[in-house]
Amino acid sequence: MAIWDADLSTRGGAETAADQGGLACFITAGLTVLSALFYGGMAGFDTLEGQVTAGMIGLQALIALIAGFRLKAGKGVFWGGAVAAMLVLEIFNKLLTLTGLGGLVLNLFFLVMVVQGVRGAWALRRGTGFGDDDLEVFE
């Protein structure tokens, strides 16, 4: 199954899309923590601004981790949507300030994967209309 075109008509395709969305959330959380370490080195965590920013970055990483675990479980429509919204805000910020254009490409890629994961989790949540549920696999 391609990343760009998830086959949500089968249970396996929906589960694969949700797994890929979970993986994108885990990578997003890791890159968020990495950016916090870089920001801490530049701004310092001893100022109020640095502490508030570290807390917000930590919250963003925590939301991405929760979304990753929920999407890996085939659930997580809400949490995955929250990560997708954070990625859209980050993309908008990078376009507005014209900074981090390499990260812009990565964020667009992760956004596509997270949206596909949310779509897969939504299809699994509905649970109806899977054509492969009626197949006898081991006959």
Side-chain angles (χ1 to χ4, degrees):
M1 179 183 76
I3 292 172
W4 311 111
D5 186 28
D7 180 22
L8 301 179
S9 63
T10 63
R11 184 173 303 279
E15 288 174 351
T16 302
D19 284 344
Q20 287 177 352
L23 178 65
C25 287
F26 288 139
I27 294 171
T28 301
L31 290 176
T32 302
V33 169
L34 187 64
S35 70
L37 293 175
F38 283 133
Y39 182 78
M42 292 188 308
F45 292 124
D46 54 348
T47 64
L48 181 62
E49 179 188 29
Q51 292 170 355
V52 169
T53 303
M56 296 301 285
I57 290 173
L59 181 65
Q60 182 179 355
L62 180 67
I63 290 171
L65 276 177
I66 292 171
F69 285 120
R70 296 294 292 166
L71 284 173
K72 283 286 191 180
K75 298 171 178 33
V77 173
F78 172 76
W79 291 103
V83 171
M86 287 189 305
L87 284 171
V88 166
L89 285 174
E90 191 168 341
I91 289 168
F92 181 71
N93 184 29
K94 286 182 181 185
L95 285 175
L96 202 63
T97 59
L98 293 175
T99 58
L101 297 177
L104 179 70
V105 173
L106 285 176
N107 282 340
L108 286 170
F109 180 73
F110 292 140
L111 179 64
V112 168
M113 286 182 67
V114 169
V115 168
Q116 292 290 3
V118 169
R119 289 181 61 222
W122 185 263
L124 289 171
R125 183 179 189 183
R126 282 190 322 236
T128 58
F130 290 124
D132 61 348
D133 285 344
D134 299 332
L135 298 176
E136 297 293 331
V137 179
F138 295 109
E139 280 193 314

